[in-house]
C-alpha cells in the first residue's frame, strides 16, 4: 500500500482514545496543527505534555463549551414533506433485488477508511449506510474532512444515510445535524444528487423487508460532571418512538421481515449492554418475533445467536464496528460470555501493525457488510479490508413479520467460540 496520503490521519493516532477528554485534546490538536501527531505509545500525561508543546491549551475552553453547551435540537420529519419511510428501489427503478452497503465506526479520516469506502463503492450499492461515529468528536471540521475532503463517503445510487454515534454527541451533534445530514438522503433520480437526510432515523421498505435506522446516540452522553458515575442508557428519543408508533405503525407490522440498525449494541460478550432500546422495541414488537439487529460502537466484528432478555425484543445480533477504527485485539471476550455468543474476527493484521508502527499491539482487520434483498430472501456478506469474505448468511422473511435463518458459511479464519458452531448464529 502507498504511504499515508497527505491530510489523512495516521491509523496509530486512533488507538486508546476512548475518553471524551482525550478525544477533545486530539481534535483540538488536529485543528491547531494537523501535521503534529501525538505518539500513541506514550502515557496520557506524556500525550498532554506533547500536545501543550505542539499546540494550544484553548482546548480546555472548547471542551467545556462543547460538553456543557446546548445540544443541537433533535430533528424530526415534521414540516419536511416527508414521512421518513422510503420505498426501496434499485438503479433500474425496480423493487428487487436491492443492495445496501453498511459500515460502522468508519469516519476516521484514514487511508484504511478510504479503502473501505472504495470497496463499498465498487460493490455498486443502491444505498449506503453509516451506523455512526465521526472521530474524534464529530465537530463540523472533522465531519467535512472525514466524509467529503480527506476521505470521500461512498454514495449509493439511490441514497445514503448516516446514524448518529456517541462521538458526534461529544460536540453536541452540531457537526452531524448541520454539516452531514444535509448532504445525504435519497437521490433526485437524475444526477444522483442527495436531497438531504432530514432526521437521525429513517426507514427503507419494500414488499418483504423493513430496514429501520434508529438513533441510540442522541441520549448517549450525560453531563461531563456525572458521566463517570452514571452511564447513559441510550434510549430512543420520544420523537422516534412516536414515529415508530404513528407513522411506521411498527406494532401493526405483521408482514415484513425486520432489520434494525443502530449505533449501540443490544448486548455484548465484550463490553456494556444497552437494554433500554431493546425494551422500547419490545413494547411494539413483543418478545417472541425474531428480527435481525446490526450495530457498531464496539470496534470489532462479532456474531451472536438468538437473544432475548427481560422485556426486550428477540434478536439475532451482528456487530460491525470494524469500519475504520483500530480493531484492538487486546480486548478479549468475557470469561463467561453469554451462551448466544458465536464468533468474532480475532485475526491479526500484521501488515497494518507494521505500517502503523505498532508491531507489538495486536490489531485486527477493518471491514463492512453488503446486504442483498431479493424478494423474500436476504443475503448478508461480511468482507474485510483485504476483500476476504469472513461470513455469508441468508435469511427469509416469512410473511408474518418474523425471519428465519436459511444458511450460513464462514471463512475458517473467523474464530468460533468454544462449544459453539457457526450455525448457532441462525438458531
Amino acid at each position: 500500500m502507498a504511504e499515508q496520503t497527505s491530510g489523512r490521519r495516521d491509523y496509530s493516532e486512533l488507538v486508546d482514545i476512548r475518553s471524551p477528554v482525550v478525544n477533545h485534546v486530539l481534535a483540538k490538536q488536529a485543528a491547531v496543527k494537523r501535521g503534529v501527531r501525538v505518539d500513541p505509545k506514550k502515557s496520557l500525561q506524556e500525550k498532554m505534555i506533547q500536545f501543550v508543546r505542539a499546540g494550544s491549551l484553548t482546548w480546555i475552553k472548547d471542551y467545556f463549551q462543547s460538553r456543557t453547551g446546548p445540544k443541537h435540537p433533535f430533528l424530526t420529519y415534521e414540516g419536511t414533506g416527508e414521512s421518513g419511510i422510503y420505498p426501496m428501489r434499485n438503479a433500474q427503478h425496480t423493487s428487487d433485488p436491492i443492495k445496501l452497503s453498511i459500515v460502522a465506526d468508519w469516519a476516521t479520516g484514514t487511508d484504511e477508511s478510504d479503502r473501505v469506502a472504495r470497496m463499498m463503492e465498487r460493490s455498486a450499492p443502491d444505498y449506503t449506510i453509516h451506523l455512526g461515529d465521526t472521530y474524534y468528536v464529530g465537530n463540523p471540521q472533522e465531519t467535512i474532512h472525514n466524509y467529503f475532503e480527506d476521505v470521500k463517503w461512498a454514495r449509493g445510487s439511490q441514497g445514503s444515510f448516516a446514524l448518529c454515534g456517541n462521538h458526534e454527541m461529544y460536540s453536541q451533534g452540531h457537526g452531524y445535524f448541520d454539516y452531514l445530514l444535509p448532504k445525504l438522503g435519497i437521490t433526485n433520480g437524475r444526477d444522483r444528487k442527495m436531497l438531504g437526510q432530514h432526521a437521525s432515523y429513517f426507514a427503507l421498505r419494500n414488499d418483504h423487508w423493513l430496514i429501520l435506522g434508529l438513533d441510540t446516540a442522541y441520549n448517549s452522553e450525560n453531563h461531563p460532571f456525572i458521566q463517570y458515575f452514571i452511564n447513559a442508557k441510550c434510549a430512543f428519543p420520544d420523537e422516534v418512538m412516536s414515529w415508530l408508533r404513528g407513522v411506521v405503525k411498527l406494532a401493526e407490522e405483521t408482514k415484513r421481515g425486520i432489520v434494525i440498525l443502530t449505533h449501540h449494541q443490544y448486548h455484548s460478550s465484550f463490553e456494556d449492554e444497552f437494554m433500554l432500546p431493546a425494551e422500547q422495541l419490545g413494547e411494539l414488537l413483543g418478545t417472541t418475533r425474531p428480527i435481525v439487529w446490526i450495530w457498531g460502537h464496539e470496534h470489532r466484528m462479532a456474531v451472536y445467536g438468538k437473544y432475548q432478555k427481560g422485556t426486550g425484543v428477540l434478536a439475532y445480533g451482528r456487530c460491525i464496528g470494524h469500519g475504520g477504527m483500530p480493531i484492538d485485539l487486546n480486548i478479549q471476550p468475557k470469561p463467561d460470555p453469554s451462551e448466544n455468543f458465536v464468533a468474532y474476527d480475532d485475526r491479526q493484521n500484521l501488515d497494518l501493525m507494521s505500517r502503523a508502527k505498532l508491531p507489538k499491539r495486536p490489531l485486527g482487520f477493518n471491514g463492512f457488510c453488503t446486504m442483498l434483498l431479493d424478494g423474500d430472501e436476504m443475503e448478508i456478506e461480511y468482507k474485510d479490508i483485504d476483500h476476504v469474505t469472513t461470513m455469508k448468511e441468508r435469511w427469509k422473511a416469512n410473511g408474518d413479520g418474523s425471519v428465519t435463518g436459511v444458511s450460513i458459511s464462514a471463512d475458517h479464519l473467523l474464530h468460533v467460540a468454544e462449544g459453539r458452531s457457526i450455525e448457532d448464529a441462525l438458531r
Side-chain angles (χ1 to χ4, degrees):
M1 181 180 168
E3 292 185 359
Q4 184 80 17
T5 302
S6 177
R8 292 185 187 156
R9 290 193 180 121
D10 189 278
Y11 198 72
S12 63
E13 296 175 8
L14 294 156
V15 176
D16 295 332
I17 63 166
R18 288 182 175 270
S19 163
V21 174
V22 173
N23 275 274
H24 275 274
V25 169
L26 294 172
K28 183 62 179 179
Q29 179 203 27
V32 171
K33 193 173 183 181
R34 296 182 71 190
V36 177
R37 297 184 175 122
V38 169
D39 186 344
K41 295 188 286 292
K42 293 184 180 295
S43 68
L44 176 59
Q45 182 179 6
E46 290 171 323
K47 287 178 181 179
M48 297 288 285
I49 293 172
Q50 183 181 350
F51 168 73
V52 171
R53 290 173 177 169
S56 165
L57 279 180
T58 57
W59 76 270
I60 297 176
K61 176 184 176 183
D62 291 347
Y63 172 78
F64 283 104
Q65 284 182 339
S66 174
R67 297 291 284 152
T68 63
K71 274 186 183 182
H72 192 284
F74 189 74
L75 301 183
T76 71
Y77 290 98
E78 186 175 354
T80 67
E82 295 185 1
S83 67
I85 305 174
Y86 303 100
M88 286 190 281
R89 299 185 178 92
N90 57 27
Q92 288 72 45
H93 301 289
T94 60
S95 59
D96 55 48
I98 305 293
K99 182 180 285 187
L100 303 90
S101 285
I102 307 171
V103 70
D105 299 76
W106 165 84
T108 56
T110 62
D111 280 341
E112 287 69 28
S113 64
D114 180 68
R115 286 179 63 191
V116 169
R118 304 290 71 80
M119 287 177 64
M120 294 171 64
E121 210 168 49
R122 286 192 292 273
S123 72
D126 300 303
Y127 300 89
T128 55
I129 302 174
H130 185 215
L131 303 189
D133 266 6
T134 302
Y135 297 89
Y136 299 106
V137 298
N139 61 32
Q141 295 81 8
E142 291 178 336
T143 300
I144 293 169
H145 290 318
N146 294 358
Y147 276 92
F148 307 113
E149 291 185 353
D150 296 342
V151 176
K152 289 183 171 56
W153 171 241
R155 294 175 178 268
S157 66
Q158 304 304 299
S160 288
F161 295 86
L163 296 178
C164 188
N166 57 296
H167 278 256
E168 284 86 339
M169 295 311 299
Y170 285 172
S171 55
Q172 306 293 6
H174 296 283
Y176 171 78
F177 285 104
D178 290 340
Y179 290 82
L180 178 59
L181 294 194
K183 296 184 178 182
L184 300 180
I186 59 171
T187 64
N188 62 5
R190 297 185 297 277
D191 54 9
R192 291 177 60 177
K193 179 182 179 181
M194 302 294 171
L195 300 179
Q197 180 181 331
H198 299 295
S200 57
Y201 54 96
F202 59 89
L204 298 172
R205 188 169 70 182
N206 64 14
D207 289 343
H208 299 280
W209 297 96
L210 174 63
I211 313 295
L212 289 170
L214 302 177
D215 187 345
T216 59
Y218 192 77
N219 292 324
S220 66
E221 291 300 310
N222 285 328
H223 192 284
F225 297 116
I226 64 173
Q227 68 177 24
Y228 293 106
F229 303 98
I230 301 175
N231 291 328
K233 297 186 183 299
C234 300
F236 298 136
D238 291 341
E239 296 88 342
V240 173
M241 292 300 293
S242 295
W243 176 76
L244 288 173
R245 290 190 185 97
V247 181
V248 178
K249 300 186 184 303
L250 187 58
E252 302 168 29
E253 179 56 72
T254 58
K255 176 184 175 183
R256 298 174 179 88
I258 297 172
V259 179
I260 303 295
L261 306 176
T262 59
H263 181 69
H264 292 88
Q265 62 267 21
Y266 177 6
H267 61 99
S268 174
S269 290
F270 296 84
E271 300 183 21
D272 293 336
E273 296 185 340
F274 297 94
M275 282 295 303
L276 189 50
E279 293 170 351
Q280 290 174 295
L281 288 172
E283 293 175 20
L284 304 176
L285 292 173
T287 61
T288 60
R289 182 194 310 184
I291 64 172
V292 176
W293 192 336
I294 300 175
W295 56 71
H297 192 56
E298 299 180 63
H299 304 150
R300 64 180 54 85
M301 177 190 170
V303 184
Y304 299 89
K306 189 162 55 177
Y307 182 82
Q308 192 278 326
K309 184 176 180 180
T311 58
V313 290
L314 179 63
Y316 295 87
R318 308 289 185 257
C319 176
I320 60 165
H322 60 328
M325 281 292 289
I327 312 307
D328 189 354
L329 298 178
N330 278 332
I331 302 175
Q332 296 294 310
K334 297 172 184 176
D336 184 23
S338 60
E339 63 178 17
N340 71 313
F341 172 58
V342 174
Y344 73 112
D345 190 352
D346 66 345
R347 296 171 296 146
Q348 291 189 23
N349 189 336
L350 300 178
D351 176 61
L352 176 59
M353 290 159 58
S354 174
R355 285 189 285 106
K357 298 180 177 60
L358 295 169
K360 296 182 180 180
R361 183 67 174 260
L363 300 176
F365 284 81
N366 295 107
F368 70 106
C369 78
T370 296
M371 179 184 295
L372 184 68
L373 307 178
D374 191 359
D376 61 1
E377 291 199 351
M378 172 175 67
E379 179 182 271
I380 310 177
E381 183 176 11
Y382 303 81
K383 298 186 76 71
D384 73 13
I385 199 169
D386 286 344
H387 299 271
V388 172
T389 295
T390 52
M391 190 175 85
K392 185 183 289 188
E393 56 185 340
R394 288 175 55 235
W395 296 86
K396 182 179 177 62
N398 297 320
D400 60 0
S402 67
V403 298
T404 299
V406 176
S407 66
I408 189 166
S409 60
D411 190 279
H412 67 282
L413 297 176
L414 191 68
H415 181 89
V416 178
E418 185 177 356
R420 308 286 286 172
S421 69
I422 192 65
E423 288 76 17
D424 288 327
L426 301 183
R427 292 173 182 155

